[in-house]
Amino acid sequence: MTLQLLVAAMNKKPVELAEEMGIHSDAIIVSQGERYACEELCLNGHNIRYFSMAERGVGLSRNYSLQRASADISLFADEDIIYEPEYAREVLAAFEAHPQADMLFFNVQAMPGRETYCNTDFGRVRWYNSGRYPTYSLAVRTRRVHQKNINFSLLFGGGAKYSNGEDSLFIRDCLRAGLKAYRVPVTIGHERERESTWFKGYNEKFFYDRGVLYRYLYGGLAGVMALRFLLSHREIMCREISWREACGIMRRAIRETDG
């Protein structure tokens, strides 16, 4: 099998970024915030396809690279991930060991305070436990995603109207389409510290955008899932805005959204 790393970046040059991330596989890099350009180069024996564009939106970047992906396995990436030297071999070995899997979620160590998951065993991922996983933890069988014509939302994520959630919606759509997802206790990299492009604190916009996302994700169960989310994370997220106020903001967003 073959693998491509699909990288969403901002104002980055291909060689510089590949060295920062420790890229040791074929890759497609889409860098936003620049003039239109494309370039193809060979780095450490691997083919790197580089595209730059002026438009903003992480969903747009991910769709652009996914539509051009040609390897058997596509591993999604952000520019702030630093990969283990053997990440490509580890990912391919996991897919070979689990031929029934269309999607695999790997461990990528997040910055302190941003951790949402840690895979300690192999197991099935379903709609009710998929929301914890970021896009950069996910690798997919490219052909299966192309067959189902699944894309990332342009409404959610950095640079879009609503601040995050494109990853959860993409995973939801994959599961709805019948793709089989599993978690594996394999670590392939870690997140380096940098300022978030979308997170500005647990403010009103954060909770409103989360309410809109839950309406799209859970439909009629959005209110219940919002309450579950706030009760689970209230000690961290509800220091400036009380969990009751946050719940009101999320419920207002749910009511005002035709998801």
Side-chain angles (χ1 to χ4, degrees):
M1 290 191 293
T2 56
L3 179 144
Q4 280 176 316
L5 197 64
L6 308 185
V7 186
M10 284 284 293
N11 298 310
K12 291 290 186 178
K13 302 302 181 185
V15 175
E16 172 188 330
L17 183 60
E19 291 175 348
E20 288 178 359
M21 297 178 63
I23 294 178
H24 291 286
S25 67
D26 289 355
I28 300 175
I29 298 172
V30 180
S31 180
Q32 295 186 349
E34 302 179 4
R35 62 181 178 84
Y36 294 98
C38 62
E39 182 179 354
E40 189 163 336
L41 61 150
C42 183
L43 186 64
N44 298 321
H46 301 291
N47 180 262
I48 309 292
R49 299 179 67 194
Y50 171 80
F51 302 91
S52 67
M53 60 176 63
E55 293 91 348
R56 299 293 180 91
V58 67
L60 181 64
S61 288
R62 296 204 194 283
N63 287 339
Y64 199 86
S65 60
L66 181 59
Q67 290 164 5
R68 288 157 179 77
S70 57
D72 299 312
I73 305 299
S74 293
L75 174 61
F76 295 104
D78 287 345
E79 65 177 60
D80 56 352
I81 305 303
I82 299 175
Y83 286 93
E84 298 292 330
E86 298 297 320
Y87 74 90
R89 185 177 299 175
E90 293 276 10
V91 171
L92 291 175
F95 275 97
E96 289 172 355
H98 305 291
Q100 78 279 19
D102 300 306
M103 311 160 60
L104 289 177
F105 294 94
F106 295 86
N107 282 327
V108 177
Q109 181 61 48
M111 291 187 300
R114 285 170 51 91
E115 304 95 335
T116 60
Y117 78 102
C118 179
N119 298 331
T120 58
D121 61 357
F122 174 79
R124 191 76 179 264
V125 174
R126 301 188 185 274
W127 71 270
Y128 53 81
N129 65 350
S130 65
R132 70 190 69 177
Y133 293 104
T135 313
Y136 57 72
S137 68
L138 173 62
V140 300
R141 294 189 190 273
T142 311
R143 182 177 61 85
R144 291 287 286 146
V145 175
H146 285 173
Q147 283 177 336
K148 299 295 184 178
N149 193 31
I150 304 169
N151 295 292
F152 286 86
S153 171
L154 302 185
L155 274 177
F156 294 85
K161 181 177 181 179
Y162 302 110
S163 51
N164 74 317
E166 84 290 345
D167 43 8
S168 298
L169 289 165
F170 179 81
I171 294 165
R172 187 276 312 269
D173 290 346
C174 287
L175 295 175
R176 280 185 176 178
L179 273 63
K180 295 180 180 178
Y182 298 83
R183 63 181 182 270
V184 290
V186 177
T187 299
I188 59 172
H190 67 274
E191 184 183 29
R192 64 178 173 84
E193 189 170 353
R194 67 160 182 164
E195 184 178 355
S196 173
T197 58
W198 67 268
F199 180 70
K200 306 302 178 185
Y202 298 112
N203 51 26
E204 182 173 352
K205 178 171 173 54
F206 173 87
F207 292 114
Y208 189 91
D209 289 0
R210 179 68 54 153
V212 175
L213 173 63
Y214 275 32
R215 178 69 176 90
Y216 276 81
L217 278 174
Y218 302 120
L221 292 175
V224 174
M225 298 302 286
L227 182 60
R228 175 177 176 268
F229 167 75
L230 289 170
L231 290 176
S232 298
H233 302 285
R234 63 185 182 276
E235 292 185 5
I236 295 175
M237 297 183 178
C238 299
R239 294 173 180 171
E240 297 183 12
I241 296 178
S242 73
W243 77 267
R244 291 183 184 275
E245 291 176 300
C247 188
I249 294 169
M250 291 187 69
R251 285 178 171 172
R252 174 164 56 87
I254 291 167
R255 290 194 305 270
E256 295 174 353
T257 302
D258 295 325

